[in-house]
Each structure stands twice: as C-alpha cells, then as structure tokens.
Coordinates of all heavy atoms in Angstrom, one line a residue:
P194 N 0.8 -1.2 0.0 CA 0.0 0.0 0.0 C 0.9 1.3 0.0 O 2.0 1.3 0.5 CB -0.8 -0.1 1.3 CG 0.0 -1.0 2.2 CD 0.7 -1.9 1.3
E195 N 0.3 2.3 -0.6 CA 1.0 3.6 -0.6 C 0.3 4.5 0.4 O -0.9 4.5 0.6 CB 1.0 4.2 -2.0 CG 1.8 3.4 -3.0 CD 3.3 3.5 -2.7 OE1 3.8 4.4 -2.2 OE2 3.9 2.5 -3.1
P196 N 1.0 5.4 1.0 CA 2.4 5.6 1.1 C 3.0 4.4 2.0 O 2.6 4.3 3.1 CB 2.6 6.9 1.8 CG 1.3 7.1 2.6 CD 0.3 6.4 1.9
W197 N 3.9 3.7 1.4 CA 4.4 2.5 2.1 C 5.2 2.8 3.3 O 5.2 2.0 4.3 CB 5.3 1.7 1.1 CG 6.5 2.3 0.7 CD1 6.7 3.1 -0.4 CD2 7.8 2.2 1.3 NE1 8.0 3.5 -0.5 CE2 8.7 2.9 0.6 CE3 8.2 1.5 2.5 CZ2 10.1 3.0 1.0 CZ3 9.6 1.6 2.8 CH2 10.5 2.4 2.1
A198 N 5.9 3.9 3.4 CA 6.7 4.2 4.6 C 5.8 4.4 5.9 O 6.2 3.9 6.9 CB 7.5 5.5 4.4
V199 N 4.7 5.0 5.7 CA 3.8 5.2 6.8 C 3.2 3.9 7.3 O 3.1 3.6 8.5 CB 2.6 6.2 6.4 CG1 1.6 6.3 7.5 CG2 3.2 7.6 6.1
H200 N 2.8 3.1 6.3 CA 2.3 1.7 6.6 C 3.3 0.9 7.3 O 3.1 0.1 8.3 CB 1.7 1.0 5.4 CG 0.5 1.6 4.9 ND1 -0.7 1.4 5.5 CD2 0.2 2.5 3.9 CE1 -1.7 2.0 4.8 NE2 -1.1 2.7 3.8
L201 N 4.6 1.0 6.9 CA 5.7 0.2 7.5 C 5.9 0.7 8.9 O 6.0 -0.2 9.8 CB 6.9 0.4 6.6 CG 8.2 -0.3 7.2 CD1 8.0 -1.8 7.1 CD2 9.4 0.1 6.4
M202 N 5.9 2.0 9.2 CA 6.1 2.5 10.5 C 4.9 2.0 11.4 O 5.1 1.6 12.6 CB 6.2 4.0 10.6 CG 7.6 4.4 10.1 SD 7.9 6.2 10.4 CE 6.9 7.0 9.2
R203 N 3.7 2.1 10.9 CA 2.5 1.6 11.7 C 2.6 0.2 12.1 O 2.3 -0.3 13.2 CB 1.2 2.0 11.0 CG 0.9 3.4 11.0 CD -0.4 3.7 10.3 NE -0.7 5.1 10.3 CZ -1.4 5.7 9.3 NH1 -2.0 4.9 8.4 NH2 -1.6 7.0 9.4
R204 N 3.0 -0.6 11.1 CA 3.1 -2.1 11.3 C 4.2 -2.4 12.2 O 4.1 -3.3 13.1 CB 3.2 -2.8 10.0 CG 2.0 -2.8 9.2 CD 2.1 -3.4 7.8 NE 0.9 -3.3 7.0 CZ 0.7 -3.9 5.9 NH1 1.7 -4.7 5.4 NH2 -0.4 -3.8 5.2
A205 N 5.3 -1.7 12.1 CA 6.5 -1.9 13.0 C 6.1 -1.5 14.4 O 6.5 -2.1 15.4 CB 7.7 -1.2 12.5
A206 N 5.3 -0.4 14.6 CA 4.9 0.1 15.9 C 4.0 -1.0 16.5 O 4.1 -1.3 17.7 CB 4.2 1.4 15.8
A207 N 3.1 -1.6 15.8 CA 2.2 -2.6 16.3 C 3.1 -3.8 16.7 O 2.8 -4.4 17.8 CB 1.2 -3.0 15.3
G208 N 4.0 -4.2 15.9 CA 4.9 -5.3 16.3 C 5.7 -5.1 17.6 O 5.8 -5.9 18.4
A209 N 6.2 -3.9 17.7 CA 7.0 -3.5 18.9 C 6.1 -3.5 20.1 O 6.5 -3.9 21.2 CB 7.7 -2.2 18.7
A210 N 4.9 -3.0 20.0 CA 4.0 -2.9 21.1 C 3.6 -4.3 21.5 O 3.5 -4.6 22.8 CB 2.7 -2.1 20.7
W211 N 3.3 -5.2 20.6 CA 3.0 -6.6 21.0 C 4.1 -7.3 21.6 O 4.0 -8.0 22.6 CB 2.5 -7.4 19.8 CG 1.1 -7.1 19.4 CD1 0.6 -6.5 18.4 CD2 -0.1 -7.6 20.1 NE1 -0.8 -6.4 18.4 CE2 -1.2 -7.1 19.5 CE3 -0.3 -8.3 21.3 CZ2 -2.5 -7.4 19.9 CZ3 -1.6 -8.6 21.7 CH2 -2.7 -8.1 21.0
A212 N 5.3 -7.0 21.1 CA 6.5 -7.7 21.7 C 6.8 -7.1 23.1 O 7.2 -7.9 24.0 CB 7.7 -7.4 20.8
A213 N 6.5 -5.8 23.3 CA 6.7 -5.2 24.7 C 5.7 -5.8 25.6 O 6.0 -6.1 26.8 CB 6.5 -3.7 24.6
A214 N 4.4 -6.0 25.2 CA 3.4 -6.7 26.0 C 3.8 -8.1 26.3 O 3.6 -8.5 27.5 CB 2.1 -6.6 25.3
A215 N 4.4 -8.8 25.4 CA 4.8 -10.2 25.7 C 5.9 -10.3 26.7 O 5.8 -11.1 27.7 CB 5.3 -10.9 24.4
A216 N 6.9 -9.4 26.6 CA 8.0 -9.4 27.5 C 7.5 -9.0 28.9 O 7.9 -9.6 29.9 CB 9.1 -8.5 27.1
Y217 N 6.7 -7.9 29.0 CA 6.2 -7.5 30.3 C 5.3 -8.5 30.9 O 5.4 -8.7 32.1 CB 5.4 -6.1 30.1 CG 4.9 -5.6 31.4 CD1 5.8 -5.0 32.3 CD2 3.6 -5.8 31.9 CE1 5.4 -4.5 33.5 CE2 3.2 -5.4 33.1 CZ 4.1 -4.7 33.9 OH 3.7 -4.3 35.2
S218 N 4.4 -9.2 30.2 CA 3.5 -10.1 30.8 C 4.3 -11.3 31.3 O 3.9 -11.9 32.3 CB 2.5 -10.6 29.8 OG 3.0 -11.3 28.7
L219 N 5.4 -11.7 30.7 CA 6.2 -12.8 31.3 C 6.7 -12.4 32.7 O 6.6 -13.2 33.6 CB 7.4 -13.0 30.4 CG 7.3 -14.1 29.3 CD1 8.6 -14.1 28.5 CD2 7.0 -15.4 29.8
G220 N 7.2 -11.2 32.8 CA 7.7 -10.7 34.1 C 6.6 -10.5 35.1 O 6.7 -10.8 36.3

C-alpha cells in the first residue's frame, strides 16, 4: 500500500507494542 513508509512504521509500531506486552507479561 502507498504511502508505504507510513504503513511500514505503523506495522512496526504494532509489532514492537505486541513484543513489549509479551516481555512485560512474562515478568
């Protein structure tokens, strides 16, 4: 999808947020 940079940042933000939630929930 265009603009691809914006979509890439949004998807990367979602990935980082889910990974943060996974690490925090373990602890």
